[in-house]
Amino acid sequence: LTKRTERRSREVFQQPASRCRTGYGFMNRNDRTFWVTALVLLVVHLGAGHLLRDFEVSADGLEYLRMAEQMLSGRGFTFDGINPVVGKTPGLPAFVALHLRIVGSTAGFHTVQLLLLYYSFVSVALISGKILGRFVAIAVLTALVLIEPLRGLSTNVLSEPLFMALFAWGLYALLHGDNSHRGRSGVMAGLLFGLATYVRPISLFWSAVLVVMVFLVMRSHIKLAIIVLLVQASVVCPWLARNYLTFGEPIPMVSNWGPLVVMTDELLWERFSKKGWGILYENPPFREAIGLEFPFNHAPQSRLRAVAVNGLKNDPTGSLWRCVQQVTFAWTYVPGTKE
């Protein structure tokens, strides 16, 4: 099985960048059938996004907007203009700040996020088409457009649309360069994966997955994997250096530890399932960890990390199950239909 998989991956990687598999032949990347379908689905995607949903900056969106405004005012990556933020990464606030600089407000940001989502859909569809054919590419793109919870990610200032666009673009760059441009493709992919890490740190785990994939099924592309990893590391390292210089430790690019505190405490999880994230502020350990500071400052995040790690040690199986429940909820939640 490993040999067959490696042979197929070699076939895919060796195809020219302009050709995707379709049935018994190959689909040109400029194939008219695919792009006409994509154009129709884009109209459906934008129409449904604007007609069925209202854009409202709330909760996490207000925090991202606040940090973007601090960047524009020259106060750096802070929430209050004084304390550096560590529980959030700077990618989305910087992107929002750029939009505010150009437009002057959040007007049009809903459309921007819808377009970012659609770009990620098209990238995934093209990747699928290269491996499985044109019919699969169109089917994948159609299915993604019809998944309503995905489109719901555009109704607030959230990190998912930008992250998905960067990450999908990185995968596309990795898979769609022919042998003569393999090094260039690796540099582009590593750069995009690194930028995606500044938006959502989960892409750091992609590095480990890439290494495993290379050694299991793509051993002929070890050099490519090394290029990707080195470029991604070079993009991420400045942020680790910033954390070390600011806080005295090279803090990994992690987000808020608060949700993990909930998932490692069974009683707190039961209350959260009924009352939502606001229950955090009613929990004594959480309130003690936060104190009077902004939750994403260094000190409260360090205390929350200690609480979360202790909870994981005490109940690893239960914590994992509650994490799975939360992920399932996140991918089935349609705003306005249930709490």
Side-chain angles (χ1 to χ4, degrees), residues 42 45-46 50 55 92 95-96 98-100 102-103 105-120 153-156 158 160-162 165:
L42 172 60
H45 175 67
L46 292 175
H50 285 291
F55 182 75
L92 182 60
F95 184 73
V96 175
L98 177 62
H99 181 86
L100 294 176
I102 296 173
V103 180
S105 68
T106 57
F109 200 73
H110 188 189
T111 301
V112 170
Q113 294 201 121
L114 283 170
L115 291 174
L116 287 172
L117 285 172
Y118 195 72
Y119 183 85
S120 67
L153 296 172
S154 66
T155 59
N156 193 2
L158 298 175
E160 283 84 355
L162 179 59

Side-chain angles (χ1 to χ4, degrees), residues 9-262:
S9 69
R10 188 181 300 112
E11 293 173 358
V12 171
F13 269 77
Q14 289 175 348
Q15 296 303 325
S18 62
R19 297 173 71 80
C20 295
R21 187 183 175 199
T22 172
Y24 298 102
F26 288 88
M27 178 183 74
N28 188 284
R29 192 170 58 183
N30 298 319
D31 179 85
R32 181 175 299 179
T33 301
F34 175 82
W35 287 110
V36 168
T37 304
L39 182 60
V40 172
L41 290 173
L42 172 60
V43 174
V44 172
H45 175 67
L46 292 175
H50 285 291
L51 293 176
L52 301 180
R53 300 293 185 89
D54 293 325
F55 182 75
E56 181 182 1
V57 182
S58 60
D60 288 357
L62 291 172
E63 294 170 352
Y64 286 123
L65 184 60
R66 175 67 174 172
M67 288 181 279
E69 291 171 346
Q70 294 295 329
M71 286 182 172
L72 285 176
S73 66
R75 297 177 180 176
F77 187 47
T78 69
F79 187 79
D80 56 7
I82 300 174
N83 297 295
V85 173
V86 68
K88 293 280 189 181
T89 44
L92 182 60
F95 184 73
V96 175
L98 177 62
H99 181 86
L100 294 176
R101 173 70 71 182
I102 296 173
V103 180
S105 68
T106 57
F109 200 73
H110 188 189
T111 301
V112 170
Q113 294 201 121
L114 283 170
L115 291 174
L116 287 172
L117 285 172
Y118 195 72
Y119 183 85
S120 67
F121 297 167
V122 171
S123 297
V124 172
L126 288 173
I127 293 170
S128 302
K130 181 161 189 174
I131 300 174
L132 300 172
R134 177 202 292 160
F135 177 80
V136 173
I138 294 176
V140 167
L141 182 57
T142 304
L144 290 172
V145 168
L146 294 178
I147 297 177
E148 183 61 19
L150 283 178
R151 190 158 39 249
L153 296 172
S154 66
T155 59
N156 193 2
V157 179
L158 298 175
S159 59
E160 283 84 355
L162 179 59
F163 170 78
M164 290 168 62
L166 289 170
F167 193 80
W169 189 8
L171 286 176
Y172 180 83
L174 185 64
L175 290 172
H176 278 256
D178 54 36
N179 288 335
S180 62
H181 299 99
R182 184 58 53 198
R184 186 188 306 172
S185 298
V187 171
M188 177 62 73
L191 175 63
L192 291 167
F193 291 149
L195 292 175
T197 306
Y198 279 88
V199 181
R200 290 189 71 84
I202 189 66
S203 60
L204 280 176
F205 292 101
W206 164 245
S207 304
V209 172
L210 177 63
V211 171
V212 172
M213 287 174 58
V214 165
F215 281 99
L216 289 181
V217 299
M218 296 184 291
R219 295 177 184 174
S220 60
H221 301 293
I222 292 178
K223 290 182 179 179
L224 173 63
I226 292 175
I227 291 174
V228 173
L229 294 176
L230 287 178
V231 173
Q232 183 180 11
S234 67
V235 174
V236 172
C237 278
W239 184 251
L240 300 182
R242 171 262 190 188
N243 289 339
Y244 181 79
L245 294 173
T246 304
F247 307 113
E249 55 179 319
I251 302 169
M253 302 182 73
V254 296
S255 293
N256 184 16
W257 287 91
L260 191 56
V261 172
V262 175

